[in-house]
Amino acid sequence: GAMNPVLKLGDVFISANPNTSEVVNLPSMVYSNQKVNFNVIAKDCKGLNCSKGGGEVFIELKSCRGDQVTGVEVRDNNYGSYMASFVAEEVGEAKLSVSIN
């Protein structure tokens, strides 16, 4: 049978300067127990990709009520790119917040 989406991803909040980073490859619908991988690209103030990693990236996935939905694992690929992944277990709509230090 067709899988039902369990999680609808709403707005993505990036607490770093929005011009300086972006979230890519994030699906808008997530299915139960599906591992979702996406990338965070950190950019400098000129909007160019950072050439090195090492910045601390903190990603939270929260429901509309503000509860944390699931933990997000982040791996530094260096060169300013980060790979993030999570597995959705809870039904509903969620917001992703990304902060890069």
Side-chain angles (χ1 to χ4, degrees):
M3 294 204 305
N4 292 329
V6 289
L7 204 59
K8 181 174 182 302
L9 292 174
D11 306 326
V12 174
F13 295 108
I14 300 184
S15 75
N17 176 340
N19 306 327
T20 61
S21 41
E22 60 179 327
V23 172
V24 290
N25 304 327
L26 184 66
S28 56
M29 290 284 185
V30 176
Y31 297 91
S32 181
N33 297 320
Q34 168 197 8
K35 185 167 187 181
V36 176
N37 295 312
F38 61 97
N39 298 88
V40 176
I41 312 293
K43 301 193 172 191
D44 63 18
C45 54
K46 299 189 189 78
L48 301 170
N49 284 18
C50 291
S51 55
K52 60 182 177 44
E56 197 179 348
V57 174
F58 186 68
I59 301 179
E60 274 186 318
L61 198 59
K62 290 188 168 175
S63 70
C64 300
R65 297 186 306 277
D67 307 326
Q68 179 145 329
V69 176
T70 181
V72 180
E73 198 182 307
V74 183
R75 203 178 73 217
D76 188 344
N77 294 336
N78 294 316
Y79 306 106
S81 164
Y82 299 85
M83 167 117 153
S85 59
F86 66 88
V87 176
E89 289 149 11
E90 191 175 314
V91 176
E93 193 162 326
K95 294 188 185 318
L96 189 74
S97 64
V98 178
S99 57
I100 301 180
N101 299 328

